Amino acid sequence: MTKNHVLVAVVLFALTACGGDENDDGNPAPPAETDSRPNMTGSYAVSGTMTASGNGRSDTAQVQDTVRIANDTTSTSKAALRLDVASLGCGPRARMSAEKAFTVASTSCPLPPKNGCTYTLEYSQGSGHRDGSGTLFVTLQGQLTARCNGGTAATAISMELTGSRTGQSLPGTRDDALTGTAPTSLRDTMDRLALSARH
C-alpha cells in the first residue's frame, strides 16, 4: 500500500470515528424530545356529565367546573402533565400522547373531609385532546372511596367533560371561578351521586 493510500485510509477512519451527527448505523441522531405541553396547558371552563355507579345502581348528572392543566413539576419529562379540578382541589397525572392529546396515569387523590367522612378519589384511566377549534375533551374514570364512622363504601366514577381555554394561570393561583356553582360543581355532584349510588 502506498503512502497516499495509507493517508487516505487514516483520514477516513478518523472521520468515521468522530461520527458527527450519525449513529453507528449511519442514520442521523434522533432529535431531542419536543415539549408540546403548551398546546394543552391552561385553564378550561368545562361542562359535561358525571356518572356514579355502586350497589347495582347508576346515576348521571350534569356538571360544570374549571380544569387546570399544568406541567408536572415533579417530573423531568417534557411530556408530564398534572390536571387540577377546581372544586375537587386535585386531579390526575397525565402524559402527552400526541401533539394535542394526553393519557391519564393512575393517581390517588385525597379529597377534603365532608360531613364527617373522608374521601379518596383513585383515578384509574382517562384521556384528553384538543380539536382544531381548540375545544378540550376529557374523560376520567376512577373510584371514590368514602370512610364514615368506621365503615367504607366505594363508588365508581366516570366524567365526560368539554370546554374552552380561558387563559393561562399565574403561578400559585387557583382557578375557583366555578367552584361555588353548587350543585353543579364536580365535588357537590360527586358527593350527591355517591350517596345515591350507595343506597
Side-chain angles (χ1 to χ4, degrees):
M1 183 180 286
T2 67
K3 289 184 178 179
N4 285 344
H5 287 141
V6 172
L7 182 58
V8 169
V10 170
V11 170
L12 288 175
F13 176 80
L15 288 174
T16 304
C18 290
D21 287 335
E22 295 193 351
N23 293 328
D24 293 339
D25 59 5
N27 295 323
E33 184 182 16
T34 302
D35 189 348
S36 56
R37 292 176 294 180
N39 293 330
M40 302 302 301
T41 55
S43 298
Y44 298 82
V46 297
S47 60
T49 60
M50 172 185 283
T51 301
S53 305
N55 291 332
R57 298 183 57 182
S58 182
D59 194 3
T60 301
Q62 297 292 317
V63 294
Q64 93 181 58
D65 218 305
T66 298
V67 171
R68 179 174 180 262
I69 302 175
N71 293 350
D72 185 350
T73 57
T74 65
S75 172
T76 58
S77 170
K78 292 182 180 179
L81 294 170
R82 188 73 190 230
L83 278 64
D84 177 64
V85 180
S87 68
L88 300 180
C90 64
R93 295 186 313 274
R95 184 174 182 82
M96 294 295 293
S97 57
E99 196 172 310
K100 293 185 180 180
F102 61 82
T103 55
V104 169
S106 179
T107 309
S108 179
C109 194
L111 304 181
K114 195 168 187 179
N115 300 325
C117 300
T118 60
Y119 297 87
T120 302
L121 179 57
E122 296 276 352
Y123 293 98
S124 57
Q125 59 184 326
S127 62
H129 73 276
R130 290 181 69 196
D131 65 10
S133 67
T135 302
L136 175 71
F137 297 85
V138 177
T139 62
L140 300 172
Q141 291 88 40
Q143 178 176 284
L144 178 68
T145 302
R147 294 173 178 82
C148 310
N149 300 322
T152 301
T155 305
I157 298 291
S158 177
M159 308 175 207
E160 300 270 347
L161 306 172
T162 304
S164 299
R165 186 153 50 181
T166 58
Q168 298 291 336
S169 300
L170 295 175
T173 63
R174 288 290 306 271
D175 301 304
D176 293 326
L178 299 179
T179 303
T181 58
T184 59
S185 76
L186 283 165
R187 177 62 199 260
D188 288 332
T189 303
M190 182 183 294
D191 290 341
R192 182 173 61 80
L193 292 183
L195 183 62
S196 173
R198 289 197 300 268
H199 290 82

